Amino acid sequence: MLSQEEKLKIKNSSILLSFIVALFAILVLLILLPRGIHNKRVVETVNVVLEQNDPGRYTIGKRVFLKSTLEESTYVFKANDSINPGDNYVILTRIIGLNGPVPVVFVGNSRELKFCGIAGIKDTQQSAFTYGLSEYVMNFWIDKLKTVLEKEAK
Amino acid sequence: MNEKNKRQLYIFATALILIPAAGRLASGIILYLGIVFICLFGTLLQYLFEIFASKYAKSIYSIVIIIFLSSIFNQLVKLFSPLMNLYTDFSIYLVSFSVLIIKFVALENDETIAESLSKKFLVILKFTPLFFLIFLLRDYFGYGTITFPGLSKMIEIHLPYPNMFKDTFFYGSIPFAVIIIAIIMASIERGIRLKNYFSLKSKEKDKK
């Protein structure tokens, strides 16, 4: 038989555990439920960059979910290119340069990937250099994303 | 070290931890909302946990609360604006483990929630001008703009921008952010010393 004190301790511990489970459930719901709105906003962000740099050339298709740790900060979409039809992608990713984190849009495929513009600003065609992204950093990320796209194609 | 000096130290330490964040006022506004969110809900949750948990587990459940609240805030930002989440992502975790939050999420003994919240928000109010000044200066010197958060695009206001700042990334970079913070902190220290000096002099005059 449990004493009063022990019963109270068990009751308090189970209440505490339920608080932690509730916090965890809120977090899981916030991750799983709002995917539709979230995707729509990402597509709007990317469309602004594409319309300023190559108006009318690219149409964004379905989202591709990556099987790598980059999934947390990278959004990959299939794209139709009116000039070079084939397997093409539009990628919005966060690159950390000398000025801190910058969201950048790349277009292309696993053979040829190029920098399109910086997301979120009025003049998205501003050079990446003024945002602290040197040639070395851009080439590193282009190679990394090409590898990821190759894996996805397989 | 008295309470006033300690609070000053916490404010400066928190300002330093903001250096790796993106140098746009828009990301600063999001981080500020994060601080207010974690302080407010952290205090309420801390009060709830204290009723049911042992005193000795306080440091454990404080950290658990801070981790959950910063992740929930991060997800809320991602939901409303994926763009702003790309600018501020890991910086929210830097803020949540700053001295300001860890020291001030904890309730003092025998305080009610209202007393505790009003004390904390007074400290946050003192911290607010420094916080926004740093991000405003970084935004202006780096890009010549003032930015506000938006859903799929930041709201940018372009200001007159001298040519010497254009075509280089140095004025938006992290080393320049360190310089800005150092100049502001040195000016605040100098201002406080001058104030103390003049108040001492006026007390001596009154005595004579």
Side-chain angles (χ1 to χ4, degrees), chain A residues 66 68-76 89-117 128 131-150, chain B residues 86 89-90:
Chain A
L66 302 172
S68 87
T69 49
L70 275 181
E71 173 60 27
E72 198 268 324
S73 62
T74 308
Y75 302 94
V76 180
Y89 298 91
V90 164
I91 304 175
L92 169 65
T93 186
R94 177 181 65 232
I95 294 185
I96 300 176
L98 284 166
N99 289 17
V102 179
V104 163
V105 174
F106 290 102
V107 287
N109 49 41
S110 55
R111 292 176 305 279
E112 192 192 328
L113 199 64
K114 66 171 178 127
F115 165 73
C116 188
Y131 278 74
L133 304 175
S134 62
E135 217 179 289
Y136 174 77
V137 169
M138 294 299 270
N139 289 338
F140 170 80
W141 275 92
I142 286 175
D143 288 338
K144 191 170 182 178
L145 289 168
K146 274 187 194 170
T147 322
V148 164
L149 289 176
E150 259 176 47
Chain B
L86 287 174
D89 188 51
F90 62 85

Side-chain angles (χ1 to χ4, degrees), chain B residues 41-52:
Chain B
F41 289 104
T43 309
L44 297 173
L45 282 172
Q46 188 101 23
Y47 184 72
L48 268 177
F49 273 60
E50 251 192 26
I51 300 173
F52 301 105

